[in-house]
Amino acid sequence: MSRIAVFPGSFDPFTKGHECIIEKALGLFDEVVIAIGQNTSKKYLFPLENRKAHIKSIFENNKRVRVEVFTGLTVTFCKEINADYIVRGLRDSKDFGYERSIAQMNHEISGIESVFFMTVPEYTAINSTIVREIHKSRGSIDLFVTNADILVK
Ligand code: ADP
């Protein structure tokens, strides 16, 4: 039985912080599915197709990483693909407070466990909201995003 984990998020955009969480999760799981959640009432800066192509490009040489798009509950998607774990990243105590509630409720409704990885110190400040602001103001996001050219084309 292979251990499959889902790393869900909006990834608008997928940053080096997210990338580091995947590298850590690969040490524990056989397969990690990066699941881009599409919420119809939410507005995204980067189009879905660009976000998907961008993440795929980063992991194109890694057969243990897959990129999927889902709508609805994360736990429903996990059941669909036989994943028993959700992976999330923690930068600080604010992330922890928020993630704890979601993890406990997800466990209550589905039995699926969440596993948390700490960001490496150099990526703790990276935040998708700020990366979007830099891009909107025509600044370079190369320092924070691998293969940024694929995302912005
Ligand atoms: P969501 O909209 O679900 O919060 P995000 O794309 O913002 O989606 O984040 C997905 C996950 O990545 C969350 O667990 C978040 O805490 C984590 N994350 C975001 N930025 C970083 C970072 N710089 N380092 C590590 N984890 C991060």
Side-chain angles (χ1 to χ4, degrees):
M1 272 275 285
S2 66
R3 282 179 186 266
I4 307 172
V6 165
F7 183 42
S10 39
F11 306 123
D12 187 29
F14 189 91
T15 67
K16 290 186 181 178
H18 296 127
E19 199 176 326
C20 133
I21 298 300
I22 297 293
E23 300 298 344
K24 292 185 180 218
L26 285 170
L28 207 57
F29 298 102
D30 300 305
E31 189 180 2
V32 180
V33 179
I34 302 172
I36 309 174
Q38 267 304 95
N39 182 335
T40 42
S41 61
K42 215 168 147 184
K43 280 219 176 327
Y44 302 98
L45 178 65
F46 297 102
L48 175 63
E49 283 317 311
N50 292 34
R51 278 181 282 148
K52 191 174 176 190
H54 171 241
I55 303 172
K56 278 188 162 187
S57 77
I58 298 173
F59 299 101
E60 65 185 352
N61 294 322
N62 195 326
K63 288 192 170 53
R64 294 201 289 135
V65 178
R66 232 164 75 199
V67 185
E68 302 282 354
V69 176
F70 76 105
T71 51
L73 288 178
T74 306
V75 293
T76 307
F77 176 71
C78 290
K79 298 266 180 203
E80 275 169 23
I81 64 161
N82 293 320
D84 292 326
Y85 300 91
I86 291 173
V87 162
R88 297 284 284 178
L90 295 179
R91 285 164 291 189
D92 52 25
S93 54
K94 196 168 139 269
D95 273 351
F96 173 73
Y98 174 73
E99 295 293 342
R100 178 180 53 189
S101 307
I102 299 178
Q104 288 175 338
M105 292 181 76
N106 276 338
H107 188 261
E108 191 104 351
I109 60 176
S110 69
I112 291 175
E113 285 291 353
S114 293
V115 177
F116 300 96
F117 293 94
M118 303 290 298
T119 319
V120 293
E122 53 271 40
Y123 295 151
T124 299
I126 301 182
N127 169 317
S128 292
T129 308
I130 302 174
V131 172
R132 286 198 296 278
E133 290 308 314
I134 294 172
H135 180 67
K136 278 195 261 181
S137 304
R138 291 189 290 277
S140 167
I141 57 172
D142 288 352
L143 276 178
F144 314 111
V145 176
T146 302
N147 294 354
D149 52 320
I150 293 179
L151 178 71
V152 302
K153 77 175 167 204

